Amino acid sequence: MPPVIETQRLRLRSHVPADLDVSAAMWGDPAVTRFIGGRPFTREEVWARMLRYAGHWLWLNYGFWAIEETNTGRFVGEAGFGDFRRQIDPPLTDIPEIGWVFAPHAQGKGYATEAVSAVVAWGEERFGPVRTACIIDPGNTASIRVAEKCGYHEWQRTEYHGSPTILFVRNPGSFTGTS
């Protein structure tokens, strides 16, 4: 089970089956997925994603959290680390990959930076002095800003599933915990 992480405005907690409806609504929104695969995800695909999150925690002792506002309990997104065994060049073998996604109603409020900062800080404790990475579509300027605020810098431009992708890395000790 993932630990619960509390920030000033957010609670990062384990996914539960009851999250399927809100997660499927988020992943089914074309505005959310335009930079993540380029198409909305089906409810079935979201369920498989949630099971993958649980599997990460079970097998690897890290994974993704569901994120909710602490004052309302409203679901706002997901963030965490994964090992997706992506077929990408250069490979991300043995490099924990951070990712995040937020529902449209939660965007533009600083939630992504707040949550990702908390996940990065957790990762520094969990992984120790190792490089972590993320992949971002070059057009996703909001996520690029979040990555840079959290200590990630562009490493290489490549393609993933035939689409342009930027690999970002955070080197050990480069995170200051500020946003």
Side-chain angles (χ1 to χ4, degrees), residues 40-55:
F41 289 81
T42 67
R43 184 178 178 82
E44 178 181 346
E45 289 169 322
V46 174
W47 180 247
R49 179 180 291 275
M50 289 174 59
L51 293 174
R52 181 173 66 188
Y53 294 157

PDB file of all heavy atoms in Angstrom, residues 40-55:
ATOM      1  N   PRO A  40      -8.819   9.837 -26.127  1.00  0.00           N
ATOM      2  CA  PRO A  40      -9.393   9.477 -24.825  1.00  0.00           C
ATOM      3  C   PRO A  40      -9.265   7.973 -24.564  1.00  0.00           C
ATOM      4  O   PRO A  40      -9.269   7.170 -25.498  1.00  0.00           O
ATOM      5  CB  PRO A  40     -10.863   9.878 -24.960  1.00  0.00           C
ATOM      6  CG  PRO A  40     -10.895  10.869 -26.073  1.00  0.00           C
ATOM      7  CD  PRO A  40      -9.791  10.466 -27.008  1.00  0.00           C
ATOM      8  N   PHE A  41      -9.154   7.619 -23.307  1.00  0.00           N
ATOM      9  CA  PHE A  41      -9.073   6.221 -22.908  1.00  0.00           C
ATOM     10  C   PHE A  41     -10.464   5.712 -22.547  1.00  0.00           C
ATOM     11  O   PHE A  41     -11.286   6.452 -21.999  1.00  0.00           O
ATOM     12  CB  PHE A  41      -8.138   6.054 -21.703  1.00  0.00           C
ATOM     13  CG  PHE A  41      -6.693   6.267 -22.042  1.00  0.00           C
ATOM     14  CD1 PHE A  41      -6.159   7.539 -22.143  1.00  0.00           C
ATOM     15  CD2 PHE A  41      -5.846   5.193 -22.279  1.00  0.00           C
ATOM     16  CE1 PHE A  41      -4.833   7.755 -22.471  1.00  0.00           C
ATOM     17  CE2 PHE A  41      -4.517   5.388 -22.606  1.00  0.00           C
ATOM     18  CZ  PHE A  41      -4.001   6.674 -22.702  1.00  0.00           C
ATOM     19  N   THR A  42     -10.710   4.439 -22.836  1.00  0.00           N
ATOM     20  CA  THR A  42     -11.988   3.825 -22.484  1.00  0.00           C
ATOM     21  C   THR A  42     -12.000   3.487 -20.998  1.00  0.00           C
ATOM     22  O   THR A  42     -10.953   3.415 -20.347  1.00  0.00           O
ATOM     23  CB  THR A  42     -12.225   2.533 -23.284  1.00  0.00           C
ATOM     24  OG1 THR A  42     -11.253   1.548 -22.867  1.00  0.00           O
ATOM     25  CG2 THR A  42     -12.126   2.773 -24.794  1.00  0.00           C
ATOM     26  N   ARG A  43     -13.173   3.246 -20.486  1.00  0.00           N
ATOM     27  CA  ARG A  43     -13.326   2.819 -19.093  1.00  0.00           C
ATOM     28  C   ARG A  43     -12.518   1.538 -18.846  1.00  0.00           C
ATOM     29  O   ARG A  43     -11.867   1.392 -17.819  1.00  0.00           O
ATOM     30  CB  ARG A  43     -14.818   2.620 -18.807  1.00  0.00           C
ATOM     31  CG  ARG A  43     -15.160   2.273 -17.395  1.00  0.00           C
ATOM     32  CD  ARG A  43     -16.695   2.160 -17.261  1.00  0.00           C
ATOM     33  NE  ARG A  43     -17.086   1.788 -15.940  1.00  0.00           N
ATOM     34  CZ  ARG A  43     -17.209   2.618 -14.922  1.00  0.00           C
ATOM     35  NH1 ARG A  43     -16.976   3.902 -15.091  1.00  0.00           N
ATOM     36  NH2 ARG A  43     -17.561   2.187 -13.728  1.00  0.00           N
ATOM     37  N   GLU A  44     -12.564   0.627 -19.792  1.00  0.00           N
ATOM     38  CA  GLU A  44     -11.818  -0.628 -19.679  1.00  0.00           C
ATOM     39  C   GLU A  44     -10.314  -0.361 -19.581  1.00  0.00           C
ATOM     40  O   GLU A  44      -9.612  -0.965 -18.760  1.00  0.00           O
ATOM     41  CB  GLU A  44     -12.106  -1.504 -20.896  1.00  0.00           C
ATOM     42  CG  GLU A  44     -11.358  -2.810 -20.915  1.00  0.00           C
ATOM     43  CD  GLU A  44     -11.661  -3.633 -22.163  1.00  0.00           C
ATOM     44  OE1 GLU A  44     -12.640  -3.330 -22.885  1.00  0.00           O
ATOM     45  OE2 GLU A  44     -10.897  -4.580 -22.420  1.00  0.00           O
ATOM     46  N   GLU A  45      -9.798   0.564 -20.404  1.00  0.00           N
ATOM     47  CA  GLU A  45      -8.377   0.903 -20.365  1.00  0.00           C
ATOM     48  C   GLU A  45      -8.006   1.578 -19.041  1.00  0.00           C
ATOM     49  O   GLU A  45      -6.913   1.343 -18.505  1.00  0.00           O
ATOM     50  CB  GLU A  45      -8.016   1.818 -21.539  1.00  0.00           C
ATOM     51  CG  GLU A  45      -8.044   1.106 -22.878  1.00  0.00           C
ATOM     52  CD  GLU A  45      -7.944   2.054 -24.058  1.00  0.00           C
ATOM     53  OE1 GLU A  45      -8.531   3.161 -23.997  1.00  0.00           O
ATOM     54  OE2 GLU A  45      -7.283   1.681 -25.043  1.00  0.00           O
ATOM     55  N   VAL A  46      -8.893   2.382 -18.509  1.00  0.00           N
ATOM     56  CA  VAL A  46      -8.629   3.043 -17.232  1.00  0.00           C
ATOM     57  C   VAL A  46      -8.606   2.011 -16.103  1.00  0.00           C
ATOM     58  O   VAL A  46      -7.759   2.079 -15.207  1.00  0.00           O
ATOM     59  CB  VAL A  46      -9.639   4.175 -16.962  1.00  0.00           C
ATOM     60  CG1 VAL A  46      -9.464   4.764 -15.569  1.00  0.00           C
ATOM     61  CG2 VAL A  46      -9.502   5.259 -18.025  1.00  0.00           C
ATOM     62  N   TRP A  47      -9.503   1.051 -16.156  1.00  0.00           N
ATOM     63  CA  TRP A  47      -9.500  -0.018 -15.146  1.00  0.00           C
ATOM     64  C   TRP A  47      -8.159  -0.769 -15.191  1.00  0.00           C
ATOM     65  O   TRP A  47      -7.544  -1.019 -14.151  1.00  0.00           O
ATOM     66  CB  TRP A  47     -10.665  -0.969 -15.367  1.00  0.00           C
ATOM     67  CG  TRP A  47     -10.718  -2.090 -14.373  1.00  0.00           C
ATOM     68  CD1 TRP A  47     -10.524  -3.415 -14.621  1.00  0.00           C
ATOM     69  CD2 TRP A  47     -10.978  -2.001 -12.969  1.00  0.00           C
ATOM     70  NE1 TRP A  47     -10.632  -4.149 -13.466  1.00  0.00           N
ATOM     71  CE2 TRP A  47     -10.914  -3.302 -12.439  1.00  0.00           C
ATOM     72  CE3 TRP A  47     -11.245  -0.934 -12.111  1.00  0.00           C
ATOM     73  CZ2 TRP A  47     -11.116  -3.561 -11.085  1.00  0.00           C
ATOM     74  CZ3 TRP A  47     -11.445  -1.206 -10.755  1.00  0.00           C
ATOM     75  CH2 TRP A  47     -11.386  -2.512 -10.263  1.00  0.00           C
ATOM     76  N   ALA A  48      -7.685  -1.095 -16.399  1.00  0.00           N
ATOM     77  CA  ALA A  48      -6.391  -1.780 -16.536  1.00  0.00           C
ATOM     78  C   ALA A  48      -5.266  -0.899 -15.994  1.00  0.00           C
ATOM     79  O   ALA A  48      -4.332  -1.391 -15.357  1.00  0.00           O
ATOM     80  CB  ALA A  48      -6.137  -2.147 -17.997  1.00  0.00           C
ATOM     81  N   ARG A  49      -5.354   0.396 -16.224  1.00  0.00           N
ATOM     82  CA  ARG A  49      -4.357   1.338 -15.703  1.00  0.00           C
ATOM     83  C   ARG A  49      -4.356   1.304 -14.168  1.00  0.00           C
ATOM     84  O   ARG A  49      -3.300   1.270 -13.539  1.00  0.00           O
ATOM     85  CB  ARG A  49      -4.679   2.745 -16.208  1.00  0.00           C
ATOM     86  CG  ARG A  49      -3.745   3.829 -15.720  1.00  0.00           C
ATOM     87  CD  ARG A  49      -4.147   5.185 -16.281  1.00  0.00           C
ATOM     88  NE  ARG A  49      -3.923   5.284 -17.700  1.00  0.00           N
ATOM     89  CZ  ARG A  49      -2.764   5.614 -18.262  1.00  0.00           C
ATOM     90  NH1 ARG A  49      -1.725   5.884 -17.509  1.00  0.00           N
ATOM     91  NH2 ARG A  49      -2.653   5.685 -19.564  1.00  0.00           N
ATOM     92  N   MET A  50      -5.538   1.331 -13.576  1.00  0.00           N
ATOM     93  CA  MET A  50      -5.627   1.304 -12.110  1.00  0.00           C
ATOM     94  C   MET A  50      -5.050   0.001 -11.555  1.00  0.00           C
ATOM     95  O   MET A  50      -4.367   0.012 -10.521  1.00  0.00           O
ATOM     96  CB  MET A  50      -7.069   1.518 -11.660  1.00  0.00           C
ATOM     97  CG  MET A  50      -7.551   2.947 -11.895  1.00  0.00           C
ATOM     98  SD  MET A  50      -9.315   3.199 -11.543  1.00  0.00           S
ATOM     99  CE  MET A  50      -9.403   2.732  -9.818  1.00  0.00           C
ATOM    100  N   LEU A  51      -5.296  -1.106 -12.235  1.00  0.00           N
ATOM    101  CA  LEU A  51      -4.719  -2.378 -11.795  1.00  0.00           C
ATOM    102  C   LEU A  51      -3.200  -2.361 -11.928  1.00  0.00           C
ATOM    103  O   LEU A  51      -2.488  -2.910 -11.083  1.00  0.00           O
ATOM    104  CB  LEU A  51      -5.321  -3.539 -12.586  1.00  0.00           C
ATOM    105  CG  LEU A  51      -6.809  -3.794 -12.334  1.00  0.00           C
ATOM    106  CD1 LEU A  51      -7.327  -4.866 -13.288  1.00  0.00           C
ATOM    107  CD2 LEU A  51      -7.078  -4.166 -10.887  1.00  0.00           C
ATOM    108  N   ARG A  52      -2.692  -1.710 -12.982  1.00  0.00           N
ATOM    109  CA  ARG A  52      -1.245  -1.564 -13.159  1.00  0.00           C
ATOM    110  C   ARG A  52      -0.664  -0.745 -12.009  1.00  0.00           C
ATOM    111  O   ARG A  52       0.419  -1.048 -11.502  1.00  0.00           O
ATOM    112  CB  ARG A  52      -0.955  -0.922 -14.505  1.00  0.00           C
ATOM    113  CG  ARG A  52       0.536  -0.752 -14.773  1.00  0.00           C
ATOM    114  CD  ARG A  52       0.821  -0.272 -16.170  1.00  0.00           C
ATOM    115  NE  ARG A  52       0.318   1.074 -16.349  1.00  0.00           N
ATOM    116  CZ  ARG A  52       0.292   1.702 -17.510  1.00  0.00           C
ATOM    117  NH1 ARG A  52       0.716   1.114 -18.610  1.00  0.00           N
ATOM    118  NH2 ARG A  52      -0.171   2.932 -17.592  1.00  0.00           N
ATOM    119  N   TYR A  53      -1.371   0.310 -11.603  1.00  0.00           N
ATOM    120  CA  TYR A  53      -0.897   1.103 -10.462  1.00  0.00           C
ATOM    121  C   TYR A  53      -0.761   0.219  -9.218  1.00  0.00           C
ATOM    122  O   TYR A  53       0.245   0.281  -8.510  1.00  0.00           O
ATOM    123  CB  TYR A  53      -1.866   2.237 -10.147  1.00  0.00           C
ATOM    124  CG  TYR A  53      -2.011   3.326 -11.177  1.00  0.00           C
ATOM    125  CD1 TYR A  53      -3.160   4.106 -11.197  1.00  0.00           C
ATOM    126  CD2 TYR A  53      -1.030   3.609 -12.124  1.00  0.00           C
ATOM    127  CE1 TYR A  53      -3.327   5.124 -12.112  1.00  0.00           C
ATOM    128  CE2 TYR A  53      -1.191   4.625 -13.044  1.00  0.00           C
ATOM    129  CZ  TYR A  53      -2.345   5.386 -13.038  1.00  0.00           C
ATOM    130  OH  TYR A  53      -2.512   6.395 -13.942  1.00  0.00           O
ATOM    131  N   ALA A  54      -1.778  -0.581  -8.955  1.00  0.00           N
ATOM    132  CA  ALA A  54      -1.736  -1.470  -7.782  1.00  0.00           C
ATOM    133  C   ALA A  54      -0.580  -2.463  -7.910  1.00  0.00           C
ATOM    134  O   ALA A  54       0.116  -2.756  -6.926  1.00  0.00           O
ATOM    135  CB  ALA A  54      -3.067  -2.202  -7.630  1.00  0.00           C
ATOM    136  N   GLY A  55      -0.357  -2.976  -9.110  1.00  0.00           N
ATOM    137  CA  GLY A  55       0.742  -3.908  -9.336  1.00  0.00           C
ATOM    138  C   GLY A  55       2.105  -3.283  -9.100  1.00  0.00           C
ATOM    139  O   GLY A  55       3.014  -3.938  -8.572  1.00  0.00           O
TER     140      GLY A  55
END
